Amino acid sequence: MFQRFRRTRLNKHLRSLVRETNVSVEDFIYPLFIRSGKGIKTEVASMPGVFQMSIDEVLKECEVLKELGIYSIILFGIPDVKDSIGSDSLCEHGIIASSIRTIKEAHPDMFVVTDLCFCEYTDHGHCGIIDEKLETVNNDATLEISGEQAVIHAKAGADMIAPSGMMDGIIETLRTALDEAGFENLPIMSYSTKFASGYYGPFRDVAESTPSFGDRSTYQMDPANRREAIAESVSDEMQGADILMVKPALAYLDLVREIKDATSLPMAVYNVSGEYAMLKHAGLNNLIDYDRVVMETMVAFKRAGANIIISYHAKEVAQMLKR
């Protein structure tokens, strides 16, 4: 006898009762892009609804987020001056350190995550100190200043550090630096499997971080490599990461599931700028039922194994869930 699967689909309340995967507003971290100045809220053409903001506007945005039930944010800084080593990110008065203190003073209930990297702060747009001979990032020299940056974020009041540069040994380096500075309870969310992806284009518009030469293929993951992708996350778990991440999300859900099954840590996905822009522009041009496709995408992230979703859609999803 064949099974009648439709029995549990015919009533909407029963469909809700047997639903295996649910999306909650508590699942989301919302990205914010901060630059110096006052009264600045500049929309990014490639990412409608996403803005570069001065800190006073960010404080207003935090009020909006809390009204929607979103209490977790991740900060990206856009400094006035960039140099070869990203000095602004190594200064306690830099854009991110200053912003953390201001946000935590005004909104102590916000959970503030900091993206720890150098691409937004360097004049060459790469994620660390350049090795001139190899024309790529010097891994170990970058580890040294990454530890400095982590301690600056911690002292400013960050609630979690999220290193995104894909340097080998970054988690062990940060864990050691934070522990020695007395921040042994500060968690690290690792960008543990981050691919050299074409989906990042719009982000580089908003963060002003396009590399001035070459690309990031020497330190970010090859999109074709499955086993290496799993090994990257397993390695970061062993080094002391508290949360793992796959970035981008949508084209890599097979690896979200495989890493989830291979490790014991909570799993985050970064629903990146290109993924956001594709849905946003398709919706604005009436090519898709935007709300439906966004929610379907979020469910896919959760179904694949994500506990946390970093997404530019977060505010819209919160509004959809309220409706």
Side-chain angles (χ1 to χ4, degrees):
M1 178 183 294
F2 66 86
Q3 187 169 349
R4 291 190 179 273
F5 291 99
R6 292 185 61 201
R7 288 181 187 138
T8 57
R9 299 175 190 159
L10 293 175
N11 183 282
K12 68 177 183 178
H13 299 297
L14 184 52
R15 286 198 301 273
S16 295
L17 286 169
V18 300
R19 186 166 292 137
E20 298 176 30
T21 305
N22 289 283
V23 176
S24 165
V25 69
E26 286 87 5
D27 298 330
F28 289 90
I29 299 175
Y30 187 65
L32 291 171
F33 298 89
I34 308 175
R35 68 180 320 139
S36 61
K38 191 172 182 181
I40 297 170
K41 189 174 182 180
T42 307
E43 189 170 26
V44 181
S46 58
M47 298 176 69
V50 175
F51 300 84
Q52 292 181 344
M53 288 182 275
S54 51
I55 187 62
D56 56 317
E57 294 294 332
V58 166
L59 297 182
K60 296 175 188 176
E61 186 75 357
C62 288
E63 293 285 1
V64 173
L65 290 168
K66 290 197 293 186
E67 288 175 7
L68 292 169
I70 299 170
Y71 282 80
S72 298
I73 55 177
I74 183 166
L75 304 183
F76 298 87
I78 306 162
D80 290 333
V81 178
K82 303 187 180 194
D83 61 23
S84 63
I85 64 168
S87 296
D88 187 90
S89 66
L90 301 172
C91 173
E92 64 180 14
H93 303 296
I95 185 69
I96 285 296
S98 299
S99 296
I100 297 167
R101 287 191 292 270
T102 302
I103 292 168
K104 294 300 288 186
E105 183 178 351
H107 299 284
D109 51 349
M110 292 299 287
F111 185 79
V112 178
V113 185
T114 58
D115 177 81
L116 189 148
C117 195
F118 294 95
C119 59
E120 301 114 275
Y121 307 95
T122 54
D123 51 14
H124 48 72
H126 280 282
C127 299
I129 295 173
I130 296 297
D131 183 322
E132 299 294 344
K133 289 184 179 179
L134 297 177
E135 294 186 342
T136 187
V137 173
N138 183 312
N139 192 93
D140 294 1
T142 300
L143 290 181
E144 186 174 341
I145 60 173
S146 296
E148 294 177 32
Q149 188 181 161
V151 172
I152 287 168
H153 289 191
K155 288 180 177 178
D159 295 299
M160 185 159 68
I161 305 291
S164 62
M166 285 294 286
M167 296 297 111
D168 293 335
I170 185 68
I171 302 303
E172 182 177 346
T173 295
L174 299 190
R175 187 71 275 156
T176 299
L178 290 169
D179 290 356
E180 289 178 352
F183 296 100
E184 61 275 1
N185 292 319
L186 190 67
I188 299 173
M189 178 171 65
S190 172
Y191 286 65
S192 54
T193 298
K194 179 180 177 181
F195 292 91
S197 172
Y199 282 97
Y200 303 147
F203 174 89
R204 292 170 185 171
D205 293 338
V206 64
E208 299 179 6
S209 61
T210 303
S212 61
F213 65 91
D215 58 26
R216 297 183 177 133
S217 297
T218 62
Y219 45 99
Q220 294 178 354
M221 277 287 313
D222 185 335
N225 290 2
R226 169 183 160 269
R227 288 180 298 176
E228 185 185 5
I230 298 168
E232 283 272 14
S233 281
V234 170
S235 175
D236 280 9
E237 179 182 33
M238 294 174 65
Q239 290 179 50
D242 299 285
I243 299 169
L244 303 175
M245 186 197 302
V246 171
K247 178 183 180 180
L250 197 56
Y252 298 92
L253 294 184
D254 58 326
L255 289 166
V256 174
R257 170 48 57 192
E258 290 204 66
I259 293 168
K260 181 78 169 184
D261 290 343
T263 66
S264 61
L265 296 181
M267 194 79 201
V269 294
Y270 200 134
N271 177 209
V272 299
S273 60
E275 298 167 358
Y276 172 85
M278 287 192 301
L279 295 192
K280 198 69 177 177
H281 288 285
L284 291 172
N285 286 281
N286 297 313
L287 300 175
I288 58 171
D289 181 335
Y290 179 74
D291 287 9
R292 181 176 180 180
V293 173
V294 167
M295 285 302 300
E296 187 175 339
T297 302
M298 301 303 130
V299 168
F301 297 153
K302 292 295 296 292
R303 190 182 65 242
N307 306 96
I308 298 166
I309 303 170
I310 304 171
S311 180
Y312 308 98
H313 292 293
K315 290 196 298 180
E316 297 169 317
V317 172
Q319 291 164 342
M320 294 175 203
L321 290 171
K322 282 194 173 189
R323 292 198 295 268

